[in-house]
C-alpha cells in the first residue's frame, strides 16, 4: 500500500487538498524539453471553439457525434501538447485515452513511419497468419519479445485491444477444453454441434470478470465489461460470473485493516462464484482482470490481492488473463503493471494495445492453440466479375492443384470443402487471365 | 442466373473442362501493363523454398505457424505479382484473402501514405470518436460517402471486418430495443440488469445467419459464422437461428426449376425460424447475409432470393444486414455486390473492410444509435507512475472542473462516476506537472 502511495506523481500534492491546507503554487517550469515540445498552453477561444462546433455539426450528418469533444490539428500537435482546430494549444494529460506513448508527432515515430519497409506494411496489408513478411520474426523478437512478461515467450499480434482480449478468451476456452478431453481428438459430436452453436462443440464455459471492469466492446469482451450502462444496454450477453472488485479507502495507511478485509471479501466471493458456476454447468475457463481498473474509476488493489487471485485461478484450473491494454507500456512506472506484484509467474495470458502501438497478447506455451488446418476435376464454375470460384472433385486434388500451381508461380485460395476461389486485384488484365489459364491447364494436364 | 453465368471471367473457359472438350491454350499475353508490373511468374525454387522454411521454423517458436504458406518480400512485390523470400515471383489471384484492391505497392497508395497529413494519423492515433482530426468529415464525404449504398447517408468507420460486423450487430440490437420501448427511456431495471449481463438490460435477442456463412471470428460474429469447424470448436456461443443457404446446381440454365425450388425452400425456412425464435423468446433483431458466401465455398444465390429475403426481414421487423467485407469494392463487377439485386432499398446496414482499406458500416438513419453520454472536492488520490486518478465530490463538479481546465489549456479524462484520470505521455516532465498543478489550482480555487 505504501508503495502505491509513494509512487504516484499526484499524491504528495493532493494530501494538502484532502486536508484543506493551502493552495499549492509551483515554481515556474524549467525549460529542458526536447525542442519540438511547446512552452505551455495557449488558449484563443473557449473549447469547443467556433471551428470545432462547425465541424461537429458537419460530422453529425454522417455519424453520432455525442462523444466528440473538439476537433484537432494533429499536424501542429507536439510532444505533450494537443492543438485544436481553433488554434488552442492544451497540455494533454489524457493522450487519446492513454494511447500516445511518447507524445504527439515524436520525430522517432515519424522517422519509423516514413521508412519504406514500414510503409510497405500499410500499403500491402499482409495477411500475417498465412503470408508474413521476411522481417516479421525478427521484428517481433526485437520489439514485443524484448518486453515479454515473466514466463512468456510467445506472442500473437492483433489490430486492437478488443480483438486482443477476444482472442485471448478464445485461447483460454480452447486450452480448457483440450484439458478436459485429455489427449483425445474432438468427437464427431463436437465437430457437428459446433457448426450450429450448440454444446458440446460450443461448450457452456465462462470467463469470470469483476464489477467495474472494462475489457472492450465486442460481444465477448462486452460480457466481461461492467463499467458503464452505455456500453452494455440492449446488447445480448453471456451468463458469466461477476465478482466485486475491492473498493479501497484512502489514504491507504490509515485504512490498512479495512482494506485488507475488503480484499479478502472479494477473493472469497471469487472462489464462491467459481464453485457456483461449475455447479451450474458453466465452468470458469479463465479469470480476466485489469491491474488497475481504469474505465471503471481508477480502482486499485494491493499486490497481495493479485497474488492471491492468481493462486485461486491455479487452484481451480482456470486460466489467468491480465488485461494490460490500458496499464501496459510504462505508464505505471514499470513496463507492465503486473510487475508490481513481484511474481515469476504472474499470468497465463497478458493482453496489450494502446501505448504498445499494436494490439496482441502474450501467452504461456501451454495456452498455444494446437489445432491443425482442415481441405472428374472441375465443376460448378461460378462468379461475378473477378469474384470467381470452381469446385474440384475432392479436397486432396484441390490441394494438390493449388500447390502445383504455386510451384509454377500462381497463387490461388481455397474455400468450402473443395472449391478454389479467385480474388485477383482490380488491375488484373485479360492477359493475366491468359497467363493464369496456361499454367492452370498445365497443372490439370499433369493430373490426368 | 444468366447474368451470373455471363459475367464470370472463368465460365467460358471452364465450360470446356466441364464437358471434357479440350485443353485450352491462350495466346501470349499482350504487354500493356503499367510499368511497375512484372512480365510473368518466375520460379526459382518449389514453394515454400528454403528461406521460407527457415523463417517458418523461427516464427514457430513465437506463434502458431500452422496456417503459414510462405514468407513474402513485400517491397519487391508489384501489381499482380507477389514475390517470396526465395525470389519466386507469382501471379497472385488470392491477394491476401481479397484485400489488395489495386495490386502490390501501387504508386498512388505509396504516395498517399507518404503524405504528411496521412502519416500523422498513424503516428498520433486519434481517438476518432472523441477527438477527430479537422479533415475527418471531408475525408469521409469524399471517400466512403461517395460510394454509399442506395438509401444510406451515414457511415461509421472501424478498424477491421470483425469489428465492423460486431458493431453493426450492436446497432441492430439497440434499434430493435428502442422500437420495442417506443419513445420511453430505458427503465431502472434495464439499467441495473445490463451491468450484470441479465435481461431485460441484456435482452435475449438473436441474429439470423446462414449455414456456410463467415462474418468474422470475434464472439458475436462467430455466433453467425458457420463455415469451418476450426473457427468454431470449443468457443461458447449464442442460441441463434441458422437457415440453409441455397445450394445451386450448375450450369444454371440447365437447372432453372430446381434452383428456384431450392431458393424457395431456404426462404421458407428463414420465415419458419423467425417465427420459432420469436416463440422461444429470442426475437430475431436482424438477418445477416453475404451476397456471395465466400469462406463457405463461394455459394451464390439469385437476385430474386435476396430481394425476397430483404422483404421477409421487413415483414418481420428484423433489420437486414448485408456483409460486403469480402464482396465490396468492385470485385463482383459492381462496387457493391448487392447492386446486382437492383433495389433502391437493398439493406438497413452494409458492412465493409478488406479492399476498402478501412473497416466500417453504412446504415440507414433509423439505425443510428441515439443514446447520449452518462459522469469536499478531492478525495482518494491514487496512482502508479504516471497512471493516476483522483475522485471529485460529484459528477457535476467533476465535469465543471474538466471543462474549466480545458478552457485554460489542460486536457483531462474522466472515469468511474466521479473520478478524473491522468494519462500523460511518457515524456511528461516534472515541469509539466507544475504547469498542470498551477492551472488545476486556479480551477479549484474558482469553485470555492
Amino acid at each position: 500500500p505504501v508503495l502505491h502511495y509513494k509512487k504516484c506523481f499526484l499524491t504528495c500534492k493532493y494530501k494538502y487538498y484532502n486536508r484543506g491546507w493551502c493552495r499549492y503554487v509551483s515554481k515556474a517550469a524549467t525549460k529542458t524539453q526536447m525542442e519540438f515540445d511547446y512552452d505551455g498552453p495557449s488558449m484563443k477561444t473557449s473549447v469547443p471553439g467556433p471551428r470545432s462546433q462547425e465541424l461537429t455539426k458537419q460530422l453529425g450528418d454522417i455519424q453520432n457525434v455525442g462523444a466528440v469533444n473538439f476537433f484537432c490539428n494533429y499536424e501542429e500537435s507536439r510532444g505533450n501538447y494537443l492543438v485544436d482546430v481553433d488554434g488552442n494549444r492544451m497540455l494533454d494529460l489524457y493522450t487519446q485515452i492513454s494511447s500516445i506513448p511518447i507524445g504527439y508527432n515524436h520525430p522517432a515515430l515519424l522517422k519509423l513511419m516514413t521508412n519504406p519497409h514500414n510503409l510497405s506494411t500499410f500499403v500491402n496489408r499482409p495477411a500475417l497468419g498465412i503470408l508474413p513478411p521476411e522481417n516479421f520474426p525478427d521484428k517481433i523478437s526485437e520489439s514485443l519479445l524484448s518486453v515479454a512478461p515473466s514466463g512468456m515467450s510467445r506472442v500473437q499480434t492483433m489490430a486492437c485491444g478488443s480483438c486482443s482480449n477476444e482472442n485471448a478468451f478464445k485461447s483460454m476456452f480452447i486450452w480448457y477444453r483440450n484439458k478436459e478431453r485429455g489427449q483425445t481428438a474432438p468427437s464427431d459430436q463436437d465437430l457437428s454441434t459446433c457448426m450450429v452453436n450448440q454444446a458440446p462443440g460450443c461448450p457452456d464455459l465462462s470467463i469470470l470478470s469483476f464489477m467495474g471492469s472494462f475489457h472492450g466492446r465486442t460481444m465477448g469482451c462486452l460480457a466481461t465489461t461492467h463499467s458503464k450502462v452505455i456500453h452494455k444496454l440492449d446488447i445480448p450477453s453471456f451468463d458469466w460470473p461477476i465478482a466485486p472488485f475491492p473498493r479501497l479507502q484512502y489514504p491507504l495507511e490509515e485504512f490498512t485493516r479495512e482494506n485488507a478485509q475488503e480484499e479478502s471479501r472479494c477473493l472469497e466471493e471469487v472462489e464462491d462464484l467459481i464453485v457456483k458456476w461449475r455447479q451450474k454447468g458453466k465452468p470458469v475457463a479463465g479469470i480476466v482482470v485489469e491491474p488497475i481498473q481504469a474505465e471503471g474509476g481508477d480502482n486499485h488493489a494491493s499486490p497481495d490481492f493479485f497474488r492471491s487471485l492468481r493462486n485461486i485461478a491455479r487452484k481451480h484450473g482456470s486460466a489467468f488473463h491480465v488485461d494490460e491494454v490500458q496499464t501496459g507500456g510504462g505508464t505505471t512506472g514499470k513496463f507492465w503493471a503486473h510487475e508490481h506484484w513481484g511474481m515469476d509467474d504472474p499470468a497465463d495470458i497478458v493482453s496489450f494495445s494502446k501505448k504498445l502501438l499494436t494490439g496482441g497478447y502474450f501467452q504461456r506455451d501451454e495456452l498455444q492453440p494446437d489445432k491443425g488446418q482442415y481441405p472428374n476435376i472441375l465443376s460448378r464454375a461460378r462468379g461475378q466479375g473477378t469474384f470467381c470460384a470452381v469446385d474440384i472433385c475432392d479436397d486432396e486434388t484441390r490441394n494438390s492443384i493449388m500447390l502445383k500451381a504455386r510451384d509454377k508461380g500462381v497463387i490461388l485460395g481455397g474455400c468450402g470443402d473443395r472449391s478454389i476461389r479467385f480474388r485477383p486485384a482490380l488491375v488484373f488484365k485479360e492477359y493475366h487471365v491468359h497467363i493464369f489459364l496456361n499454367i492452370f491447364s498445365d497443372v490439370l494436364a499433369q493430373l490426368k
Side-chain angles (χ1 to χ4, degrees), chain A residues 66 98 115 119 152 157 248 278 330 343 346 392:
Chain A
S98 200
N115 176 328
L119 264 185
M152 302 190 188
T157 54
L248 302 185
R278 190 187 296 138
M343 300 179 79
I392 310 297

Side-chain angles (χ1 to χ4, degrees), chain A residues 44-330:
Chain A
K44 303 217 178 335
T45 71
S46 71
V47 181
R51 178 71 180 138
S52 269
Q53 290 179 36
E54 189 186 320
L55 288 164
T56 303
K57 197 160 164 289
Q58 196 185 332
L59 188 61
D61 290 336
I62 304 171
Q63 297 185 344
N64 186 332
V65 289
V68 169
N69 290 343
F70 53 85
F71 280 71
C72 303
N73 183 336
Y74 285 103
E75 291 75 21
E76 291 298 316
S77 301
R78 289 191 205 164
N80 289 289
Y81 292 90
L82 179 59
V83 175
D84 78 2
V85 291
D86 290 284
N88 299 299
R89 184 203 302 155
M90 293 166 269
L91 184 65
D92 193 354
L93 278 83
Y94 194 40
T95 58
Q96 311 293 321
I97 319 178
S98 200
S99 296
I100 304 291
I102 49 174
Y104 292 101
N105 287 306
H106 196 287
L109 286 179
L110 282 171
K111 194 177 163 195
L112 266 177
M113 283 299 306
T114 44
N115 176 328
H117 286 275
N118 296 325
L119 264 185
S120 155
T121 299
F122 288 96
V123 171
N124 296 314
R125 296 165 64 76
L128 292 171
I130 59 172
L131 296 167
E134 179 162 23
N135 60 4
F136 194 54
D138 280 346
K139 233 182 199 170
I140 292 182
S141 299
E142 290 162 13
S143 56
L144 293 171
L145 286 185
S146 75
V147 292
S150 174
M152 302 190 188
S153 60
R154 302 187 79 86
V155 64
Q156 182 65 50
T157 54
M158 289 282 152
C160 71
S162 286
C163 293
S164 305
N165 285 335
E166 288 273 338
N167 283 281
F169 291 0
K170 287 166 67 178
S171 274
M172 297 194 287
F173 290 130
I174 293 169
W175 164 82
Y176 194 89
R177 282 291 288 149
N178 278 341
K179 246 188 351 170
E180 285 188 330
R181 275 192 296 263
Q183 296 304 316
T184 61
S187 68
D188 287 347
Q189 204 196 357
D190 285 338
L191 303 183
S192 60
T193 54
C194 82
M195 293 298 276
V196 290
N197 297 13
Q198 303 297 321
C202 293
D204 225 345
L205 297 175
S206 62
I207 302 279
L208 182 142
S209 56
F210 288 89
M211 192 54 68
S213 58
F214 182 92
H215 299 292
R217 296 172 68 167
T218 45
M219 290 183 71
C221 296
L222 196 58
T224 62
T225 287
H226 317 281
S227 51
K228 286 194 188 126
V229 162
I230 187 80
H231 301 148
K232 303 272 294 178
L233 186 66
D234 295 346
I235 315 300
S237 194
F238 292 104
D239 177 29
W240 290 353
I242 308 156
F245 193 81
R247 179 83 185 165
L248 302 185
Q249 298 181 64
Y250 289 80
L252 291 174
E253 66 271 33
E254 290 176 20
F255 295 95
T256 315
R257 199 167 49 99
E258 290 85 347
N259 288 338
Q261 279 173 351
E262 167 69 356
E263 294 194 336
S264 294
R265 180 185 74 85
C266 295
L267 292 167
E268 278 165 31
E269 184 73 13
V270 167
E271 288 213 64
D272 286 351
L273 287 168
I274 292 176
V275 171
K276 206 165 149 193
W277 253 255
R278 190 187 296 138
Q279 285 165 352
K280 280 173 86 164
K282 303 180 179 192
V284 173
I287 295 175
V288 62
V289 70
E290 296 156 277
I292 301 173
Q293 284 193 341
E295 292 292 323
D298 268 40
N299 305 316
H300 295 244
S302 74
D304 269 347
F305 173 81
F306 289 104
R307 285 192 287 260
S308 301
L309 188 62
R310 204 273 179 270
N311 287 333
I312 288 173
R314 203 183 274 114
K315 172 179 161 192
H316 291 277
S318 309
F320 190 58
H321 170 186
V322 179
D323 175 352
E324 295 248 22
V325 168
Q326 192 151 172
T327 51

Side-chain angles (χ1 to χ4, degrees), chain A residues 312-382:
Chain A
I312 288 173
R314 203 183 274 114
K315 172 179 161 192
H316 291 277
S318 309
F320 190 58
H321 170 186
V322 179
D323 175 352
E324 295 248 22
V325 168
Q326 192 151 172
T327 51
T331 184
T332 68
K334 303 236 184 222
F335 196 90
W336 302 110
H338 69 250
E339 292 173 55
H340 290 285
W341 313 340
M343 300 179 79
D344 290 336
D345 183 25
D348 296 303
I349 293 202
V350 172
S351 55
F352 56 86
S353 187
K354 291 189 179 274
K355 278 195 161 53
L356 275 287
L357 301 179
T358 177
Y361 56 93
F362 295 95
Q363 58 190 355
R364 297 201 308 126
D365 285 1
E366 293 87 322
L367 270 90
Q368 170 84 3
D370 64 351
K371 303 239 169 36
Q373 295 292 86
Y374 295 89
N376 4 319
I377 303 181
L378 306 177
S379 63
R380 302 183 75 246
R382 58 208 182 275

